[in-house]
Amino acid sequence: MGAAIPTRAMPTVIAHRGAADDAPENTLAAFKLAWQQGADGIEGDFRLTRDGEIVCIHDADTRRTAGQAGQVAEATLAELRQLDVGSWKGEPWRGARIPTLGEVLATVPEGKRVFIEIKCGPRILPALKEALAGAGLQPGQAIVMSFDARVTGEAKRLLPRLKALWLTDFKAGPEAGVRPSAKEILQTLEKIGADGVGCRAHPVVDQAFMQALRAAQKEIHLWTVDDVALAKRYLQLGVDSLTSNRAGWLKRQLCSEAGPPNRTPNRASGHSR
Ligand code: G3P
Ligand code: CA
């Protein structure tokens, strides 16, 4: 590992689905562990239940994390609460339950941030507004984001003071290179009034990409970075945050003058990336 990142460029490292390498993703145990490990923020995935509650779960179906098939959107909160979403990760986590958005927000310490990824349509937004109103967070602590530009745009209209990001991945086009380009991303951000983009850490994110978005005062947040060398590359470009499955560990490596050699990501962790 080379020299540490200068202090002024110190990273904001966000725990992807909580401390997802060490605890069952999107559970209160994973979020609380992320705070203990020193993450600057947490990221979680949120969906609306049949009875209008907001719950924290990545997949539309409960099979992967609860071992039992069922659509989140067709279940009530009480039904979802019966499920054990901890055992798949290991015996110490047996009995972990799907948390509500309110419960997740209540874990956020002063000065830390929560990235709320909406995994369903805009019907969730009034309940989101209510949950945020009841959470007592300071301005800037909560950020909402979605791969669905319509959801990000509507969130921004409903909650203009809330920071809102559009999420996108990159795909190699048949002719025109990787898409969306910085120009295309910017067009979408302007159209929906988003504050920035959350995108996969990809070689297409380079100096020119950064400059194009910075010129329009847009933020750039990257997921999912579990590798020190990669993290350094993007921090040197000046991204706003990195989301990681091992945020505490990554932050420690980046902050240390002479940390250990880069570690191979834990491929056996079981969460989809
Ligand atoms: O931060 C965005 C990132 O979490 C999107 O990917 O599939 O892990 O929700 P996913
Ligand atoms: Ca997510």
Side-chain angles (χ1 to χ4, degrees), residues 84-135:
D84 170 0
V85 288
S87 294
W88 71 275
K89 189 72 176 173
E91 213 35 51
W93 311 105
R94 178 176 292 281
R97 303 291 158 192
I98 298 173
T100 63
L101 173 60
E103 289 169 337
V104 176
L105 295 179
T107 73
V108 181
E110 202 178 324
K112 302 278 182 166
R113 293 203 275 173
V114 55
F115 286 66
I116 301 165
E117 183 184 344
I118 304 298
K119 287 286 191 194
C120 59
R123 271 197 330 115
I124 196 173
L125 294 175
L128 172 72
K129 185 176 179 180
E130 199 182 314
L132 286 169

Side-chain angles (χ1 to χ4, degrees), residues 1-270:
M1 191 172 140
I5 301 290
T7 310
R8 63 186 150 71
M10 273 320 294
T12 298
V13 186
I14 307 302
H16 182 237
R17 310 180 196 173
D21 258 12
D22 299 325
E25 64 178 57
N26 284 320
T27 62
L28 290 180
F31 295 125
K32 287 176 182 170
L33 187 58
W35 299 130
Q36 282 168 22
Q37 292 177 345
D40 297 299
I42 53 171
E43 184 266 356
D45 303 295
F46 295 89
R47 299 178 172 278
L48 196 63
T49 66
R50 193 179 85 214
D51 53 344
E53 301 286 343
I54 301 182
V55 288
C56 187
I57 182 167
H58 181 276
D59 300 358
D61 188 282
T62 55
R63 186 192 298 272
R64 181 173 60 87
T65 51
Q68 200 175 311
Q71 291 295 305
V72 175
E74 290 167 12
T76 64
L77 176 61
E79 287 163 351
L80 291 166
R81 290 286 214 193
Q82 304 297 315
L83 302 173
D84 170 0
V85 288
S87 294
W88 71 275
K89 189 72 176 173
E91 213 35 51
W93 311 105
R94 178 176 292 281
R97 303 291 158 192
I98 298 173
T100 63
L101 173 60
E103 289 169 337
V104 176
L105 295 179
T107 73
V108 181
E110 202 178 324
K112 302 278 182 166
R113 293 203 275 173
V114 55
F115 286 66
I116 301 165
E117 183 184 344
I118 304 298
K119 287 286 191 194
C120 59
R123 271 197 330 115
I124 196 173
L125 294 175
L128 172 72
K129 185 176 179 180
E130 199 182 314
L132 286 169
L137 297 176
Q138 294 301 305
Q141 278 192 280
I143 295 104
V144 69
M145 55 192 196
S146 177
F147 282 98
D148 185 338
R150 189 183 45 140
V151 170
T152 299
E154 287 193 28
K156 194 66 192 173
R157 270 192 294 281
L158 189 66
L159 295 154
R161 296 200 318 187
L162 185 69
K163 201 160 272 186
L165 308 177
W166 177 54
L167 296 174
T168 186
D169 204 346
F170 297 104
K171 286 198 176 99
E175 289 164 12
V178 175
R179 297 190 64 193
S181 65
K183 190 176 166 195
E184 289 168 328
I185 290 173
L186 204 46
Q187 281 168 351
T188 299
L189 300 184
E190 301 283 10
K191 187 172 152 202
I192 63 177
D195 299 284
V197 67
C199 51
R200 184 183 293 282
H202 186 285
V204 78
V205 178
D206 59 10
Q207 216 158 17
F209 180 99
M210 296 294 296
Q211 276 166 4
L213 288 158
R214 287 287 186 233
Q217 277 92 47
K218 299 300 182 189
E219 295 190 4
I220 303 109
H221 300 262
L222 298 187
W223 45 274
T224 303
V225 180
D226 292 343
D227 175 285
V228 175
L230 210 56
K232 283 187 163 189
R233 173 185 186 271
Y234 292 115
L235 291 169
Q236 276 152 3
L237 287 171
V239 301
D240 291 286
S241 78
L242 298 174
T243 299
S244 175
N245 291 307
R246 40 190 177 139
W249 175 86
L250 183 60
K251 194 163 168 97
R252 279 196 306 281
Q253 304 313 304
L254 294 167
C255 293
S256 70
E257 279 297 321
N262 201 7
R263 194 179 95 181
T264 306
N266 178 8
R267 297 288 175 214
S269 60

